[in-house]
Amino acid sequence: MPDHPDFVIENRIRDREETLARTELEALQLQRLRATVVHVAAVPFYRDALGRGDITPESLHSLDDLRRLPFTTKEDLRRRPPLDFLAVPREQVARIHGSSGTTGRPTFVAYSAEDLKTWSGLCARFLVAGGLRSEHTVHIAFGYGLFTGGFGLHYGVERVGAAIVPAASGNTQRQIELIRDLKADVLVCTPSYALTIAEAARELGLDPRELPLRYAHFGAEPWSEAMRFQIEAEFDLLAFNNYGLSEVIGPGVSGECVRRDGMHIQEDHFIVECLDPQTLEPVPEGEPGELVFTAITKQAMPLLRYRTRDIASLWRDPCACGRTTVRMSRVTGRTDDMFIIRGVNVFPSQIEEALLRVAGSSPHYLIEVSRPGTLDEVAVKVEVHSEQISSDPDAAKLLRRHIGKEIHTVAGIRTAVELVAPHTLERSSGKAKRVIDMRRPC
Ligand code: ADP
Ligand code: ZN
């Protein structure tokens, strides 16, 4: 990762737990895991599963015994009434959030007052790790509502003591005015929405680099390293990645430090595994696999071995920032976003990476998968500048070919590339929709 010459951020660490020696951290994890096994017995799903496996706290001798615990899937949550996984009496519930429902019926998650405190502390940790200071003003353009992004980041910023502009999502022109007039130096939203803001600013005759933003914390959807460089150049800011999901706690599961070399997982609260999604065996360190999390401090709704369907890799070598926690790579995609084309597994992020390698194409794209006959076909719609399409058909043909070749190199599939005029594709104010799979029944 090249150092950004304009911004040097001092490395600050918020909590001692981020730097525990591995033996101390693992002892803490085991102790908390045992307590969690007792606590989740209040949930019928877990009581039955733990009973079947003869699992008691005393029978967990080391962290390896985690593998004896049952998995929890999104289907397990969906199949039951909302809040069926509640592990505390209803009167202890302080807040209910829901997942965004990106892949189907949303699921609900509950927090106790204590959980809310834990959560804001975890968000504060990654924000501090990524340079947030109390003198900053943070513009939050995440939706405030059932989605965990808005409130999660809001209370995290508050814990750091910075000022907040809770702009929420939508009305991009107004967002730009607020950022400019209230002098926000930090932006919080999805990476795709940051691009929408940059584009709208230019249309208003404003160079996005003139906005006062200097840092950004992006999450909630997959994005590529190429996209990071593009957004940083557009606004002249430093962008950090953070990851989380509602079932585990929301944002705050992991985030980048100033080194920006992987996201530190907050292991004193979550035990992570990286498994082959087919065999459910651990993959070797550094190899991509499905992330599985066990929440070991949550009160209201701690899930055991929650299968995220997010594909990433883990590595444990020490980070120069001093944190001792395991780091995760970018999420290359979700297993449910992945599409299989004639036997090749493809993630939208690969298409994005290819597009951003080609001068003249843009990060505004949509992938359409269909099966007109017996074979799968993929069409990639990409926005370009209108001059290129209208003024020179030969240049357009060349560009299409170049994009197709780059996609083939990165993703290993052949695609039909369609160049479309600017603004033809829908802009997102939250998570961008990248794939339409017409093979799936609606
Ligand atoms: P939903 O599953 O309905 O989208 P959430 O709103 O809880 O529910 O979103 C969590 C999901 O968002 C994660 O499982 C992951 O797929 C995605 N996500 C969150 N942060 C990131 C990130 N930094 N990079 C890639 N994907 C992310
Ligand atoms: Zn670090």
Side-chain angles (χ1 to χ4, degrees), residues 153-164:
L153 268 292
H154 183 99
Y155 289 109
V157 173
E158 202 167 270
R159 281 289 278 274
V160 180
I164 302 171

Side-chain angles (χ1 to χ4, degrees), residues 7-79:
F7 305 92
V8 178
I9 305 184
E10 182 203 346
N11 174 38
R12 278 196 210 168
I13 296 175
R14 187 173 183 271
D15 295 327
R16 195 184 80 85
E17 287 78 4
E18 297 175 77
T19 59
L20 292 178
R22 290 298 310 179
T23 45
E24 202 182 337
L25 175 62
E26 284 165 19
L28 179 68
Q29 285 184 319
L30 183 59
Q31 177 206 329
R32 289 181 166 176
L33 179 64
R34 286 186 178 136
T36 301
V37 163
V38 177
H39 184 60
V40 296
V43 179
F45 176 86
Y46 289 132
R47 190 171 49 240
D48 296 349
L50 295 174
R52 278 195 301 275
D54 270 335
I55 297 160
T56 58
E58 303 75 41
S59 73
L60 301 175
H61 300 293
S62 75
L63 286 177
D64 288 340
D65 287 326
L66 177 71
R67 301 194 52 204
R68 294 174 46 216
L69 302 186
F71 286 107
T72 313
T73 64
K74 202 156 192 128
E75 280 316 306
D76 291 329
L77 301 179
R78 278 191 181 139
R79 240 185 276 133

Side-chain angles (χ1 to χ4, degrees), residues 39 77 82-100 107-123 145-156 159 243-253 269-270 295 297-303:
H39 184 60
L77 301 179
L83 307 191
D84 209 43
F85 280 73
L86 203 58
V88 293
R90 183 69 196 230
E91 61 268 25
Q92 286 182 29
V93 173
R95 177 111 56 84
I96 297 170
H97 277 285
S99 70
S100 315
T107 50
F108 295 96
V109 288
Y111 300 75
S112 67
E114 175 101 6
D115 291 335
L116 291 177
K117 239 205 241 146
T118 306
W119 186 23
S120 58
L122 291 175
C123 289
L146 282 175
F147 172 52
T148 50
F151 283 103
L153 268 292
H154 183 99
Y155 289 109
R159 281 289 278 274
Y243 165 87
L245 63 164
S246 53
E247 294 84 354
V248 176
I249 201 159
V253 175
H269 295 268
F270 313 107
T297 55
K298 267 174 71 184
Q299 296 299 308
M301 218 177 119
L303 299 185

